[in-house]
Amino acid sequence: MEFAFYFASGVAVVSTLRVITNTNPVHALLYLIISLIAVAMTFFSLGAPFAGVLEVIAYAGAIMVLFVFVVMMLNQGPASVTQERHWLKPGIWVGPTILSALLLAELLYVLFVQPSGAAIGQTTIDAKAVGISLFGPYLLVVELASMLLLAAAVTAFHLGRTEAKEQ
């Protein structure tokens, strides 16, 4: 599992550097998805499958869909269709496809070839342990984060209203 940790960390670093250096937002989103999946793989290799699953569901799933919607909303008009076709040429998918294939090969290697007793993290953190931590000593932090997210949602609603744009 040590190999899996370092390999996934390397893929995360490379794809994150591609996110930062890319000037095209669609390409950056593709590499960001790969980066988030690689971070989930590091969680899996450390013995925290619940954190890895949350990473995939919450960040690589929900947050990335939100980012794609934002990109779609910002590129309105008939010119955006030709621009998106230009952005999503088949050659653009080569980098994310290679990194995804490497992560898939790593996952298959860890699951089927690597002996199961070679984990970096010696304990497995399950959902109950995460829940006890979040709603025990960190309850105030969780509630403050939820209030911050609510304030961000209300602000985004007010900024995106059509009445506010007309004034």
Side-chain angles (χ1 to χ4, degrees):
M1 287 291 216
E2 188 173 339
F3 169 75
F5 173 77
Y6 288 119
F7 188 78
S9 300
V11 170
V13 167
V14 168
S15 58
T16 303
L17 286 174
R18 292 292 295 151
V19 170
I20 294 169
T21 59
N22 246 322
T23 57
N24 189 327
V26 176
H27 300 173
L29 285 175
L30 291 174
Y31 280 107
L32 186 58
I33 291 171
I34 300 302
S35 175
L36 293 172
I37 291 173
V39 170
M41 286 295 298
T42 60
F43 284 136
F44 283 122
S45 67
L46 289 173
F50 184 69
V53 168
L54 285 178
E55 178 81 22
V56 170
I57 292 171
Y59 291 111
I63 301 296
M64 292 315 300
V65 168
L66 177 69
F67 284 171
V68 168
F69 284 148
V70 167
V71 168
M72 288 170 43
M73 288 173 48
L74 292 177
N75 294 324
Q76 293 177 349
S80 68
V81 174
T82 57
Q83 185 179 26
E84 286 179 15
R85 285 193 180 134
H86 176 70
W87 283 349
L88 294 175
K89 289 182 181 176
I92 291 168
W93 294 89
V94 171
T97 303
I98 290 172
L99 292 175
S100 296
L102 289 173
L103 285 176
L104 179 64
E106 173 196 4
L107 178 65
L108 294 175
Y109 174 77
V110 167
L111 289 177
F112 298 116
V113 177
Q114 184 78 12
S116 62
I120 292 176
Q122 299 301 322
T123 60
T124 300
I125 302 168
D126 58 349
K128 183 178 180 181
V130 173
I132 289 171
S133 292
L134 285 180
F135 296 110
Y138 299 111
L139 179 64
L140 181 62
V141 176
V142 169
E143 292 301 321
L144 287 174
S146 68
M147 293 303 290
L148 182 64
L149 289 172
L150 176 65
V154 170
T155 303
F157 171 75
H158 283 291
L159 289 176
R161 285 190 337 211
T162 55
E163 297 92 29
K165 291 180 182 176
E166 293 172 0
Q167 293 176 354

